[in-house]
Amino acid sequence: MTASSRSTDRPAVEARLALRLAGSLNVTTGSLPPEVNERLRFAREQALARARDARRVAAAGAHSTVGMSASGALLLGSYRPWLQRAAAFLPLLLLLAGLMLIQQWQLREQVLAAADIDSLLLADALPPTAYSDPGFAEFLRSDPQP
Amino acid sequence: MATDKELSDFLKSVEKRAFKRTVYAVRSDDSALDIVQDAMIKLAEKYADRPAAELPLIFQRILSNATMDWFRREKVRNALMSNMSDFDGAEPDGDFDLLETLHAVEGSLGAESASDAVSRAQILRLIDAQVAELPGRQREAFLLRYWEEFDVAETALVMGCSEGSVKTHCSRAVQALAKALRAKGITP
């Protein structure tokens, strides 16, 4: 064999040798320990179970879309994921709205109570300044005359 | 879409090679089994709706990524990091005669007598060990190209490199294996 023909054949020889060497790996791989084979079988079964679950979920999703009316599917079909995401925030929004409503109601109650007190004070015969008079306070503390 | 049977058959056909390939990389049976299991589950969960013909390429890609993830986690834990260098090993020797090694390997592995069978088993173990000793990228290219029998483009896709790099890795891997076998006395 000449040097030039060797260099021409080199990729072919390299590929043949590589295939022969790789093929020999099949022999050693065929005799794996039983526990390894068992774990591989378990992993395979797990994977197949997950694939079945994934298909079931996909089929259920497709079925629910098919169950809508044509106009509903047209309207909601493409927005369904967006609507589902938005729906997840709905309870939070309701909670915030409720809290704000309660706060507004309490504020209004406080204002109304203060207004009631003010109107009673102003409508009374006793002037409001009397309550800041020390003599009047002393009069209230003193025993009533017999 | 791949049926349950197609997926099962595919996994059955590939699982042992996937395990062995991962053991070469991570040097631990338990870790390799975990990685292969993760790759199988990911394939089943995310790509079970793909045609059966696409599964081999997708699975090898997932397996490579899962192995890289394992190395990253190990690196974080300061554990032993296997050498994943691209260009380890000596440059190929231009005068090295691959044909002689090919004849030697074919002669040794084709032996039929009892004593030859023993020597054949030894050679198989030797080849196995030498493949394990290859630098990571060379080994990956060699196994994908010649064991999984992907073409150069598919191997490049799985490895995330150029086709030229695949050819270089494969050539260096074969050279290194041939050299190692000759050094161990596998000659015609």
Side-chain angles (χ1 to χ4, degrees):
Chain A
M1 188 182 282
T2 63
S4 63
S5 69
R6 267 190 186 184
S7 64
T8 311
D9 291 345
R10 195 177 181 86
V13 172
E14 202 173 273
R16 267 181 68 192
L17 178 59
L19 287 169
R20 200 75 181 86
L21 292 170
S24 75
L25 296 176
N26 285 327
V27 181
T28 45
T29 306
S31 55
L32 291 174
E35 62 270 19
V36 171
N37 283 327
E38 189 55 27
R39 270 203 64 184
L40 287 172
R41 185 190 62 76
F42 175 75
R44 187 174 70 243
E45 284 173 1
Q46 289 267 306
L48 290 171
R50 298 287 183 94
R52 277 191 288 271
D53 289 347
R55 284 197 190 103
R56 202 175 300 130
V57 170
H63 181 72
S64 65
T65 307
V66 168
M68 280 191 282
S69 67
S71 57
L74 193 66
L75 190 67
L76 295 173
S78 58
Y79 295 104
R80 193 175 171 78
W82 181 85
L83 284 173
Q84 278 176 345
R85 277 200 298 275
F89 290 101
L90 198 61
L92 186 67
L93 288 173
L94 285 173
L95 181 69
L96 285 172
L99 287 171
M100 285 172 72
L101 212 63
I102 290 168
Q103 191 197 17
Q104 287 295 321
W105 178 76
Q106 282 185 336
L107 197 65
R108 188 169 174 277
E109 286 294 305
Q110 283 173 3
V111 169
L112 287 176
D116 281 349
I117 293 168
D118 287 351
S119 59
L120 284 172
L121 281 173
L122 291 170
D124 197 3
L126 193 68
T129 49
Y131 291 101
S132 58
D133 183 0
F136 181 65
E138 186 62 32
F139 166 74
L140 289 176
R141 274 198 294 274
S142 65
D143 291 335
Q145 294 294 320
Chain B
M1 180 190 285
T3 63
D4 244 21
K5 188 176 182 319
E6 283 173 332
L7 184 61
S8 174
D9 289 347
F10 166 69
L11 291 177
K12 211 179 280 187
S13 72
V14 83
E15 64 188 15
K16 287 181 181 173
R17 290 200 306 277
F19 166 72
K20 193 78 181 171
R21 193 182 136 209
T22 314
V23 168
Y24 284 138
V26 303
R27 318 279 162 134
S28 156
D29 282 10
D30 281 337
S31 300
L33 284 165
D34 289 343
I35 291 167
V36 171
Q37 181 168 357
D38 286 349
M40 281 180 173
I41 287 174
K42 192 165 184 188
L43 178 82
E45 281 181 342
K46 311 263 181 195
Y47 301 98
D49 57 338
R50 303 293 277 269
E54 289 182 16
L55 295 181
L57 209 57
I58 296 171
F59 179 71
Q60 295 302 336
R61 189 73 194 248
I62 293 172
L63 189 65
S64 293
N65 288 341
T67 308
M68 288 309 295
D69 287 344
W70 183 88
F71 276 112
R72 285 191 197 105
R73 286 197 299 271
E74 286 298 297
K75 197 175 179 184
V76 168
R77 281 184 243 146
N78 293 323
L80 178 67
M81 180 74 180
S82 172
N83 184 6
M84 298 293 281
S85 165
D86 263 1
F87 297 108
D88 279 11
E91 288 294 312
D93 181 355
D95 296 329
F96 191 64
D97 195 347
L98 287 173
L99 196 57
E100 284 180 12
T101 312
L102 174 63
H103 289 153
V105 168
E106 284 182 335
S108 307
L109 296 180
E112 284 176 1
S113 73
S115 63
D116 287 344
V118 174
S119 119
R120 183 171 180 266
Q122 285 172 342
I123 290 166
L124 289 172
R125 276 199 298 277
L126 183 61
I127 292 171
D128 194 61
Q130 292 306 322
V131 170
E133 289 302 313
L134 285 174
R137 295 290 277 177
Q138 286 184 21
R139 184 177 54 243
E140 195 176 4
F142 173 79
L143 293 177
L144 288 171
R145 179 81 182 86
Y146 296 110
W147 205 20
E148 299 295 339
E149 298 184 357
F150 286 173
D151 62 28
V152 175
E154 288 170 334
T155 307
L157 195 64
V158 172
M159 291 181 65
C161 64
S162 70
E163 294 183 19
S165 295
V166 169
K167 288 177 188 167
T168 306
H169 288 318
C170 285
S171 178
R172 287 184 175 167
V174 176
Q175 296 282 343
L177 287 172
K179 209 168 191 173
L181 292 175
R182 280 174 68 90
K184 299 281 182 184
I186 314 277
T187 50

